[in-house]
């Protein structure tokens, strides 16, 4: 009897700009963990990388290359193209997965066309961000005079590569309706889009009972009866934490919660100064490991996210919802209005410190409202963001390549 030969396992080649802590890396790690039983995960990164990974890594960095400088963007794209072509041509079937729809996505999509390799774009929000004036005005800082003079050429290059990527990719993996609407406006047919939901560890992140809450507060040096407003994010201007401080200053002192911030970044010193000047009691915990985030959420009563610019779904908001907290978030990204609707929290206009203060004051004043919002938020996450939801979605999306 002739033995039946099995096809070699699929190689899932993720192409990223850099490996850094944050929601994008968290999502990719979840993909890697679920895909490794059916194949081999490989990563191509330009860097510089601030975290290490266990998966095989190909570095493409070097002099005169960068995804947001001109003409370095073209050198970056060429290096990424060469690395992706080489990865696709190695023995075994490959699937290429770029992390954005800009230079990374365009170079990877072209590599897929040249080698006959399927390309699935993991759209983490670049399509929405690059269309925003905020991105070009505030988020993209070009300190060198030469780079500022070259900005029109950079912008033109980004748009060309963005359009090229969306024309060449086989499928787009999207995590939100806002991204899908943007892609449709750029000519991506619905048949080429696949929706997936970020998975949340529902055991690590769960509503805290009295003993877990007491242990978390003791570990963080928080008083048992203190009302705690938590936030977890990189401390940058776009995250809007200066607005949180302004909002807290408008909340009556007797009803004002203690602000506890997890995360680090270039705005930390300025935020500390602003809190002191406004008379706001704030604790800065610095960068937190996943266990540290869970501990902070267990100790908190409320959670706030005040982003000025966003796309897709901030992981930190989902984690706070899973922990059963009353969440206040800006409508950047717009998906927060849906996530926090029906009493699951409060969504407020981005940049509106007065609306933020009103929402914080409302939930701070009522344990009943906080508990009700937390129960509904937890149920929402269990329905849409349980790990098995992503398992089913990936089985459908990647089944054809397995």
């Amino acid at each position: 009897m002739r033995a039946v030969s099995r096809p070699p396992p699929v190689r899932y080649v993720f192409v990223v700009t850099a490996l850094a802590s944050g929601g994008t890396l968290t999502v990719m790690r979840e993909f890697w963990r679920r895909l490794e039983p059916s194949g081999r995960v490989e990563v191509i990164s330009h860097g510089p990388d601030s975290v290490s990974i266990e998966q095989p890594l190909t570095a493409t960095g070097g002099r005169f290359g960068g995804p947001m400088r001109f003409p370095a963007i073209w050198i970056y794209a060429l290096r990424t193209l060469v690395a992706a072509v080489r990865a696709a041509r190695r023995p075994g079937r490959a699937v290429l997965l770029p992390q954005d729809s800009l230079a990374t996505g365009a170079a990877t999509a072209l590599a897929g066309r040249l080698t006959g390799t399927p390309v699935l774009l993991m759209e983490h929000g670049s399509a929405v961000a690059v269309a925003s004036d905020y991105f070009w005005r505030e988020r993209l800082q070009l300190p060198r005079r030469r780079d500022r003079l070259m900005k029109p050429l950079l912008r033109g290059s980004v748009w060309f590569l963005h359009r090229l990527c969306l024309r060449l990719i086989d499928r787009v993996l999207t995590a939100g309706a806002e991204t899908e609407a943007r892609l449709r406006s750029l000519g991506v047919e619905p048949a080429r889009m696949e929706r997936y939901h970020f998975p949340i560890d529902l055991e690590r992140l769960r509503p805290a009972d009295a003993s877990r809450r007491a242990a978390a507060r003791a570990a963080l040096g928080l008083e048992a009866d203190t009302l705690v407003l938590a936030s977890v994010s990189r401390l940058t201007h776009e995250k809007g934490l200066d607005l949180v401080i302004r909002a807290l200053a408008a909340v009556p002192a007797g009803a004002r919660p203690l602000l506890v911030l997890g995360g680090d970044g270039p705005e930390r010193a300025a935020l500390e100064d602003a809190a002191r000047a406004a008379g706001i009691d704030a604790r800065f915990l610095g960068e937190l490991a996943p266990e540290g985030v869970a501990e902070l959420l267990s100790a908190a009563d409320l959670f706030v996210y005040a982003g000025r610019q966003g796309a897709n779904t901030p992981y930190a908001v989902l984690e706070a919802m899973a922990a059963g907290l009353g969440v206040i978030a800006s409508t950047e990204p717009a998906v927060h209005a849906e996530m926090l609707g029906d009493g699951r929290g409060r969504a407020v206009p981005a940049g509106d410190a007065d609306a933020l203060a009103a929402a914080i004051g409302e939930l701070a004043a009522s344990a009943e409202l906080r508990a009700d919002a937390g129960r509904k938020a937890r149920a929402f996450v269990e329905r849409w963001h349980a790990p098995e939801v992503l398992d089913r979605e990936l089985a459908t999306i990647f089944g054809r390549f397995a």
Side-chain angles (χ1 to χ4, degrees), residues 15-47:
V15 189
V16 305
T17 304
L19 295 167
S21 298
T24 297
L25 180 60
T26 301
V27 173
M28 286 194 295
R29 286 188 189 277
E30 291 290 343
F31 269 65
W32 300 344
R33 187 163 64 86
R34 287 167 169 77
L35 292 175
E36 282 174 329
S38 65
R40 171 185 168 90
V41 172
E42 305 171 11
V43 180
I44 296 172
S45 173
H46 174 271

Side-chain angles (χ1 to χ4, degrees), residues 290-308:
E291 295 75 17
V293 172
E295 184 175 67
L296 172 57
L297 297 180
S298 293
D301 301 286
L302 291 164
F303 186 88
V304 63
Y305 179 94
R308 289 183 166 94

Side-chain angles (χ1 to χ4, degrees), residues 69-157:
R69 295 288 188 274
F70 184 89
I73 186 173
W74 292 100
I75 301 172
Y76 168 84
L78 178 60
R79 288 174 177 161
T80 303
L81 170 64
V82 171
V85 166
R86 288 175 176 170
R89 286 178 173 169
R90 285 197 288 270
R93 296 171 299 154
V95 180
L96 300 174
L97 295 105
Q99 80 162 81
D100 66 48
S101 59
L102 308 180
T104 304
T108 308
L110 183 56
R113 287 299 180 98
L114 292 174
T115 61
T117 305
V119 179
L120 279 72
L121 167 66
M122 292 187 68
E123 176 50 61
H124 290 281
S126 55
V128 175
V130 78
S132 165
D133 287 338
Y134 180 89
F135 175 87
W136 293 100
R137 185 182 67 251
E138 302 286 347
R139 186 172 180 181
L140 182 63
Q141 298 295 322
L142 300 174
R144 296 189 304 178
R145 182 171 181 271
R146 179 181 178 277
D147 288 330
R148 293 196 299 273
L149 293 174
M150 292 290 186
K151 192 171 182 177
L153 293 174
L154 171 64
R155 193 163 188 165
S157 299

Side-chain angles (χ1 to χ4, degrees), residues 1 25 29 33 57 66 69 78-79 83 116 150 181 201 249 264 274 307 320 328 358 363 370 393:
M1 183 175 180
L25 180 60
R29 286 188 189 277
R33 187 163 64 86
L57 175 65
R69 295 288 188 274
L78 178 60
R79 288 174 177 161
M150 292 290 186
D201 186 338
D264 212 339
I328 303 108
L363 290 180
R370 295 196 300 272
E393 292 168 340

Side-chain angles (χ1 to χ4, degrees), residues 193-346:
M193 288 188 265
E194 305 269 9
R195 174 71 73 90
Y196 71 96
H197 293 83
F198 298 166
I200 297 296
D201 186 338
L202 296 177
E203 176 58 28
R204 181 176 64 87
L205 297 155
R206 65 183 190 273
D209 57 22
S211 61
R212 183 172 180 175
R213 174 185 170 89
R217 291 203 163 205
L220 295 172
L222 302 174
E223 298 294 333
D225 59 349
T226 299
L227 190 68
V228 174
L229 173 67
S231 187
V232 179
S233 71
R234 182 163 165 75
L235 305 186
T236 59
H237 180 69
E238 68 188 75
K239 296 302 183 181
L241 292 165
D242 58 313
L243 296 171
V244 175
I245 292 171
R246 283 171 50 195
L248 285 173
V251 175
R256 185 183 301 156
L258 167 68
L259 178 62
V260 183
L261 299 173
D264 212 339
E267 294 289 313
R268 176 167 177 167
L271 291 169
E272 290 176 335
D273 290 344
R276 281 193 295 269
I280 301 301
D281 190 3
R283 312 276 179 88
F284 290 77
L285 302 182
E287 197 71 36
L288 296 176
E291 295 75 17
V293 172
E295 184 175 67
L296 172 57
L297 297 180
S298 293
D301 301 286
L302 291 164
F303 186 88
V304 63
Y305 179 94
R308 289 183 166 94
Q309 166 68 34
N312 277 342
T313 306
Y315 221 83
V317 173
L318 284 175
E319 290 183 328
M321 293 175 70
L325 296 181
V327 176
I328 303 108
S330 72
T331 51
E332 283 289 347
V335 70
H336 283 157
E338 174 188 343
M339 290 167 56
L340 301 177
D342 298 325
R344 290 186 291 269
R346 301 292 184 270

